[in-house]
Amino acid sequence: MVEAFRIGLIVFVAVVLTAGFGVLLPLRARTRRATGQTFNLWAVRHGWRFAHSPHESWTARLPGHDPEGLGVTLTGELGGHQVTVADYCFTTNAWTGEIVSSTTHRYVVVAVLLERPYPPVAVVDVAALSQPGSALFSDSPITTGHREFDYRFRLTAVDSNYARLLVGPQVIDAHLAGVIPRWSLAGHELLTYQTGQLDDPDEIPDLAAPLLHLATLIERRAH
């Protein structure tokens, strides 16, 4: 009798677990679809374009340089510029003996399209230099003559004279005040990124605002 009860209990647990997985897996799939649908509906409602896993040349300027790394991507107009906000990730592997551990690094990327093309220039905070892909365009930092800025940030460019002209007093002051983020510029595309994941499309204006401010400073300086 006891043995029959045990067998019945095992069968019951197995059935419950199987049924549970059968419910959870479709639910997880529905959750993934709902997330994409949420962004897509937001894009339609605001006149933006929604894409998933597009290919953009500027991923070469992101940590990991992964051309397949973009996920949810939204593009539209803000502040008189075309703006793209996207999820981006890449994976690194570390070996410990014969064991491989993988780490996925996740970022939110913002790109602003400028009116005219510019030579490659980048500014990154010194604390972030250890991150892969932080040093762009040159291994040798360019000094601006501003002691605090040169201590806290690294300015790199193909043309050092042009970089000093572009990164003028207003850009330097904005960096020191923490108003604008790390950034890189090549051609028409002004780019920044931060760790995290795009969870709510209503966050897009706030995410884009610092880079749009920088775009204004750069275009004003160039004119």
Side-chain angles (χ1 to χ4, degrees):
M1 185 70 178
V2 174
E3 188 64 28
F5 174 79
R6 288 177 180 173
I7 294 172
L9 180 61
I10 293 171
V11 172
F12 173 76
V13 170
V15 170
V16 169
L17 288 176
T18 301
F21 282 121
V23 170
L24 288 174
L25 290 176
L27 180 61
R28 185 178 177 187
R30 285 199 299 271
T31 302
R32 286 199 299 267
R33 286 196 298 270
T35 301
Q37 185 180 30
T38 299
F39 285 103
N40 193 22
L41 290 173
W42 186 95
V44 170
R45 192 163 57 246
H46 291 80
W48 282 45
R49 298 191 307 275
F50 169 83
H52 197 280
S53 304
H55 288 79
E56 298 286 353
S57 60
W58 42 253
T59 54
R61 289 190 269 143
L62 295 175
H65 318 295
D66 187 352
E68 307 289 335
L70 290 176
V72 168
T73 304
L74 295 141
T75 301
E77 295 291 327
L78 274 179
H81 291 86
Q82 178 178 299
V83 174
T84 297
V85 180
D87 273 331
Y88 170 81
C89 68
F90 72 99
T91 302
T92 55
N93 297 319
W95 289 81
T96 305
E98 296 182 355
I99 300 174
V100 181
S101 58
S102 297
T103 303
T104 300
H105 309 268
R106 300 186 183 278
Y107 299 88
V108 177
V109 183
V110 181
V112 172
L113 203 64
L114 303 186
E115 294 177 355
R116 49 160 287 189
Y118 293 83
V121 182
V123 174
V124 63
D125 48 294
V126 172
L129 285 175
S130 60
Q131 297 179 3
S134 294
L136 291 170
F137 309 133
S138 172
D139 292 330
S140 302
I142 299 166
T143 57
T144 64
H146 192 292
R147 181 176 298 178
E148 185 180 358
F149 178 86
D150 292 339
Y151 177 76
R152 290 174 52 187
F153 298 91
R154 288 294 179 268
L155 169 63
T156 60
V158 173
D159 185 334
S160 59
N161 291 327
Y162 189 85
R164 291 189 185 96
L165 288 173
L166 195 65
V167 182
Q170 287 186 315
V171 174
I172 288 173
D173 289 345
H175 269 296
L176 294 175
V179 175
I180 56 178
R182 75 187 91 183
W183 55 275
S184 67
L185 172 61
H188 291 271
E189 295 157 339
L190 179 63
L191 188 68
T192 190
Y193 60 90
Q194 63 186 51
T195 56
Q197 195 166 359
L198 186 58
D199 295 319
D200 183 354
D202 288 331
E203 297 173 350
I204 285 175
D206 290 337
L207 289 169
L211 200 64
L212 285 168
H213 178 58
L214 174 61
T216 300
L217 296 179
I218 287 174
E219 291 182 333
R220 187 183 299 161
R221 181 76 173 172
H223 291 156

PDB file of all heavy atoms in Angstrom, residues 31-48:
ATOM      1  N   THR A  31       5.745  36.799 -23.165  1.00  0.00           N
ATOM      2  CA  THR A  31       6.359  37.971 -22.545  1.00  0.00           C
ATOM      3  C   THR A  31       7.354  38.626 -23.487  1.00  0.00           C
ATOM      4  O   THR A  31       7.388  39.838 -23.645  1.00  0.00           O
ATOM      5  CB  THR A  31       7.065  37.571 -21.227  1.00  0.00           C
ATOM      6  OG1 THR A  31       6.114  36.977 -20.363  1.00  0.00           O
ATOM      7  CG2 THR A  31       7.696  38.791 -20.561  1.00  0.00           C
ATOM      8  N   ARG A  32       8.197  37.809 -24.159  1.00  0.00           N
ATOM      9  CA  ARG A  32       9.157  38.355 -25.113  1.00  0.00           C
ATOM     10  C   ARG A  32       8.433  39.059 -26.251  1.00  0.00           C
ATOM     11  O   ARG A  32       8.812  40.148 -26.662  1.00  0.00           O
ATOM     12  CB  ARG A  32      10.051  37.232 -25.655  1.00  0.00           C
ATOM     13  CG  ARG A  32      11.084  36.728 -24.659  1.00  0.00           C
ATOM     14  CD  ARG A  32      12.188  36.001 -25.413  1.00  0.00           C
ATOM     15  NE  ARG A  32      11.682  34.848 -26.131  1.00  0.00           N
ATOM     16  CZ  ARG A  32      11.658  33.616 -25.640  1.00  0.00           C
ATOM     17  NH1 ARG A  32      12.072  33.392 -24.419  1.00  0.00           N
ATOM     18  NH2 ARG A  32      11.203  32.607 -26.370  1.00  0.00           N
ATOM     19  N   ARG A  33       7.382  38.453 -26.775  1.00  0.00           N
ATOM     20  CA  ARG A  33       6.639  39.068 -27.876  1.00  0.00           C
ATOM     21  C   ARG A  33       5.970  40.355 -27.419  1.00  0.00           C
ATOM     22  O   ARG A  33       5.936  41.340 -28.131  1.00  0.00           O
ATOM     23  CB  ARG A  33       5.600  38.081 -28.413  1.00  0.00           C
ATOM     24  CG  ARG A  33       6.187  36.945 -29.237  1.00  0.00           C
ATOM     25  CD  ARG A  33       5.101  36.250 -30.038  1.00  0.00           C
ATOM     26  NE  ARG A  33       4.092  35.638 -29.188  1.00  0.00           N
ATOM     27  CZ  ARG A  33       4.162  34.392 -28.742  1.00  0.00           C
ATOM     28  NH1 ARG A  33       5.196  33.627 -29.042  1.00  0.00           N
ATOM     29  NH2 ARG A  33       3.205  33.900 -27.978  1.00  0.00           N
ATOM     30  N   ALA A  34       5.419  40.349 -26.175  1.00  0.00           N
ATOM     31  CA  ALA A  34       4.739  41.531 -25.662  1.00  0.00           C
ATOM     32  C   ALA A  34       5.706  42.697 -25.540  1.00  0.00           C
ATOM     33  O   ALA A  34       5.358  43.834 -25.816  1.00  0.00           O
ATOM     34  CB  ALA A  34       4.094  41.224 -24.311  1.00  0.00           C
ATOM     35  N   THR A  35       6.965  42.402 -25.131  1.00  0.00           N
ATOM     36  CA  THR A  35       7.960  43.460 -25.006  1.00  0.00           C
ATOM     37  C   THR A  35       8.224  44.100 -26.361  1.00  0.00           C
ATOM     38  O   THR A  35       8.203  45.316 -26.508  1.00  0.00           O
ATOM     39  CB  THR A  35       9.265  42.898 -24.412  1.00  0.00           C
ATOM     40  OG1 THR A  35       8.991  42.339 -23.130  1.00  0.00           O
ATOM     41  CG2 THR A  35      10.301  43.984 -24.273  1.00  0.00           C
ATOM     42  N   GLY A  36       8.456  43.282 -27.368  1.00  0.00           N
ATOM     43  CA  GLY A  36       8.667  43.807 -28.713  1.00  0.00           C
ATOM     44  C   GLY A  36       7.447  44.549 -29.208  1.00  0.00           C
ATOM     45  O   GLY A  36       7.559  45.610 -29.835  1.00  0.00           O
ATOM     46  N   GLN A  37       6.275  44.032 -28.911  1.00  0.00           N
ATOM     47  CA  GLN A  37       5.036  44.668 -29.340  1.00  0.00           C
ATOM     48  C   GLN A  37       4.866  46.025 -28.658  1.00  0.00           C
ATOM     49  O   GLN A  37       4.397  46.986 -29.279  1.00  0.00           O
ATOM     50  CB  GLN A  37       3.850  43.765 -29.030  1.00  0.00           C
ATOM     51  CG  GLN A  37       2.525  44.300 -29.557  1.00  0.00           C
ATOM     52  CD  GLN A  37       1.370  43.376 -29.217  1.00  0.00           C
ATOM     53  OE1 GLN A  37       1.403  42.683 -28.207  1.00  0.00           O
ATOM     54  NE2 GLN A  37       0.352  43.357 -30.053  1.00  0.00           N
ATOM     55  N   THR A  38       5.255  46.107 -27.387  1.00  0.00           N
ATOM     56  CA  THR A  38       5.158  47.373 -26.661  1.00  0.00           C
ATOM     57  C   THR A  38       5.981  48.459 -27.341  1.00  0.00           C
ATOM     58  O   THR A  38       5.511  49.579 -27.554  1.00  0.00           O
ATOM     59  CB  THR A  38       5.631  47.193 -25.207  1.00  0.00           C
ATOM     60  OG1 THR A  38       4.806  46.233 -24.556  1.00  0.00           O
ATOM     61  CG2 THR A  38       5.573  48.507 -24.452  1.00  0.00           C
ATOM     62  N   PHE A  39       7.215  48.133 -27.698  1.00  0.00           N
ATOM     63  CA  PHE A  39       8.076  49.104 -28.377  1.00  0.00           C
ATOM     64  C   PHE A  39       7.537  49.441 -29.766  1.00  0.00           C
ATOM     65  O   PHE A  39       7.606  50.591 -30.209  1.00  0.00           O
ATOM     66  CB  PHE A  39       9.500  48.563 -28.472  1.00  0.00           C
ATOM     67  CG  PHE A  39      10.244  48.611 -27.168  1.00  0.00           C
ATOM     68  CD1 PHE A  39      10.431  47.464 -26.407  1.00  0.00           C
ATOM     69  CD2 PHE A  39      10.748  49.809 -26.694  1.00  0.00           C
ATOM     70  CE1 PHE A  39      11.104  47.515 -25.195  1.00  0.00           C
ATOM     71  CE2 PHE A  39      11.431  49.875 -25.478  1.00  0.00           C
ATOM     72  CZ  PHE A  39      11.601  48.725 -24.733  1.00  0.00           C
ATOM     73  N   ASN A  40       7.033  48.444 -30.450  1.00  0.00           N
ATOM     74  CA  ASN A  40       6.493  48.667 -31.791  1.00  0.00           C
ATOM     75  C   ASN A  40       5.284  49.600 -31.739  1.00  0.00           C
ATOM     76  O   ASN A  40       5.159  50.534 -32.551  1.00  0.00           O
ATOM     77  CB  ASN A  40       6.113  47.330 -32.427  1.00  0.00           C
ATOM     78  CG  ASN A  40       5.846  47.455 -33.917  1.00  0.00           C
ATOM     79  OD1 ASN A  40       6.299  48.390 -34.565  1.00  0.00           O
ATOM     80  ND2 ASN A  40       5.100  46.518 -34.462  1.00  0.00           N
ATOM     81  N   LEU A  41       4.386  49.370 -30.788  1.00  0.00           N
ATOM     82  CA  LEU A  41       3.208  50.226 -30.639  1.00  0.00           C
ATOM     83  C   LEU A  41       3.608  51.651 -30.265  1.00  0.00           C
ATOM     84  O   LEU A  41       3.020  52.623 -30.756  1.00  0.00           O
ATOM     85  CB  LEU A  41       2.263  49.646 -29.583  1.00  0.00           C
ATOM     86  CG  LEU A  41       1.532  48.358 -29.975  1.00  0.00           C
ATOM     87  CD1 LEU A  41       0.755  47.799 -28.785  1.00  0.00           C
ATOM     88  CD2 LEU A  41       0.597  48.607 -31.152  1.00  0.00           C
ATOM     89  N   TRP A  42       4.607  51.768 -29.398  1.00  0.00           N
ATOM     90  CA  TRP A  42       5.094  53.105 -29.026  1.00  0.00           C
ATOM     91  C   TRP A  42       5.632  53.814 -30.258  1.00  0.00           C
ATOM     92  O   TRP A  42       5.363  55.017 -30.460  1.00  0.00           O
ATOM     93  CB  TRP A  42       6.186  52.975 -27.970  1.00  0.00           C
ATOM     94  CG  TRP A  42       6.665  54.291 -27.419  1.00  0.00           C
ATOM     95  CD1 TRP A  42       6.227  54.918 -26.293  1.00  0.00           C
ATOM     96  CD2 TRP A  42       7.683  55.136 -27.976  1.00  0.00           C
ATOM     97  NE1 TRP A  42       6.903  56.097 -26.110  1.00  0.00           N
ATOM     98  CE2 TRP A  42       7.800  56.258 -27.135  1.00  0.00           C
ATOM     99  CE3 TRP A  42       8.504  55.059 -29.107  1.00  0.00           C
ATOM    100  CZ2 TRP A  42       8.698  57.290 -27.378  1.00  0.00           C
ATOM    101  CZ3 TRP A  42       9.406  56.095 -29.361  1.00  0.00           C
ATOM    102  CH2 TRP A  42       9.504  57.186 -28.509  1.00  0.00           C
ATOM    103  N   ALA A  43       6.395  53.098 -31.080  1.00  0.00           N
ATOM    104  CA  ALA A  43       6.962  53.689 -32.295  1.00  0.00           C
ATOM    105  C   ALA A  43       5.863  54.166 -33.237  1.00  0.00           C
ATOM    106  O   ALA A  43       5.916  55.283 -33.770  1.00  0.00           O
ATOM    107  CB  ALA A  43       7.867  52.674 -32.999  1.00  0.00           C
ATOM    108  N   VAL A  44       4.842  53.353 -33.434  1.00  0.00           N
ATOM    109  CA  VAL A  44       3.732  53.730 -34.322  1.00  0.00           C
ATOM    110  C   VAL A  44       3.014  54.958 -33.776  1.00  0.00           C
ATOM    111  O   VAL A  44       2.691  55.899 -34.517  1.00  0.00           O
ATOM    112  CB  VAL A  44       2.747  52.544 -34.477  1.00  0.00           C
ATOM    113  CG1 VAL A  44       1.481  52.997 -35.191  1.00  0.00           C
ATOM    114  CG2 VAL A  44       3.413  51.402 -35.221  1.00  0.00           C
ATOM    115  N   ARG A  45       2.802  54.968 -32.478  1.00  0.00           N
ATOM    116  CA  ARG A  45       2.067  56.067 -31.848  1.00  0.00           C
ATOM    117  C   ARG A  45       2.830  57.390 -31.926  1.00  0.00           C
ATOM    118  O   ARG A  45       2.224  58.469 -32.015  1.00  0.00           O
ATOM    119  CB  ARG A  45       1.777  55.706 -30.381  1.00  0.00           C
ATOM    120  CG  ARG A  45       0.778  56.611 -29.699  1.00  0.00           C
ATOM    121  CD  ARG A  45       0.225  55.970 -28.438  1.00  0.00           C
ATOM    122  NE  ARG A  45       1.264  55.604 -27.489  1.00  0.00           N
ATOM    123  CZ  ARG A  45       1.561  54.358 -27.152  1.00  0.00           C
ATOM    124  NH1 ARG A  45       0.895  53.343 -27.695  1.00  0.00           N
ATOM    125  NH2 ARG A  45       2.509  54.098 -26.274  1.00  0.00           N
ATOM    126  N   HIS A  46       4.166  57.324 -31.922  1.00  0.00           N
ATOM    127  CA  HIS A  46       4.979  58.541 -31.925  1.00  0.00           C
ATOM    128  C   HIS A  46       5.614  58.845 -33.276  1.00  0.00           C
ATOM    129  O   HIS A  46       6.419  59.775 -33.390  1.00  0.00           O
ATOM    130  CB  HIS A  46       6.076  58.428 -30.857  1.00  0.00           C
ATOM    131  CG  HIS A  46       5.561  58.454 -29.452  1.00  0.00           C
ATOM    132  ND1 HIS A  46       5.020  57.339 -28.835  1.00  0.00           N
ATOM    133  CD2 HIS A  46       5.468  59.466 -28.553  1.00  0.00           C
ATOM    134  CE1 HIS A  46       4.649  57.662 -27.612  1.00  0.00           C
ATOM    135  NE2 HIS A  46       4.902  58.945 -27.410  1.00  0.00           N
ATOM    136  N   GLY A  47       5.263  58.055 -34.301  1.00  0.00           N
ATOM    137  CA  GLY A  47       5.823  58.310 -35.621  1.00  0.00           C
ATOM    138  C   GLY A  47       7.281  57.906 -35.762  1.00  0.00           C
ATOM    139  O   GLY A  47       8.017  58.468 -36.583  1.00  0.00           O
ATOM    140  N   TRP A  48       7.718  56.940 -34.965  1.00  0.00           N
ATOM    141  CA  TRP A  48       9.082  56.430 -35.025  1.00  0.00           C
ATOM    142  C   TRP A  48       9.105  55.102 -35.790  1.00  0.00           C
ATOM    143  O   TRP A  48       8.063  54.539 -36.086  1.00  0.00           O
ATOM    144  CB  TRP A  48       9.637  56.227 -33.616  1.00  0.00           C
ATOM    145  CG  TRP A  48      10.079  57.503 -32.958  1.00  0.00           C
ATOM    146  CD1 TRP A  48       9.402  58.686 -32.929  1.00  0.00           C
ATOM    147  CD2 TRP A  48      11.287  57.718 -32.235  1.00  0.00           C
ATOM    148  NE1 TRP A  48      10.106  59.629 -32.238  1.00  0.00           N
ATOM    149  CE2 TRP A  48      11.272  59.063 -31.795  1.00  0.00           C
ATOM    150  CE3 TRP A  48      12.380  56.915 -31.909  1.00  0.00           C
ATOM    151  CZ2 TRP A  48      12.316  59.611 -31.047  1.00  0.00           C
ATOM    152  CZ3 TRP A  48      13.414  57.460 -31.168  1.00  0.00           C
ATOM    153  CH2 TRP A  48      13.388  58.789 -30.745  1.00  0.00           C
TER     154      TRP A  48
END
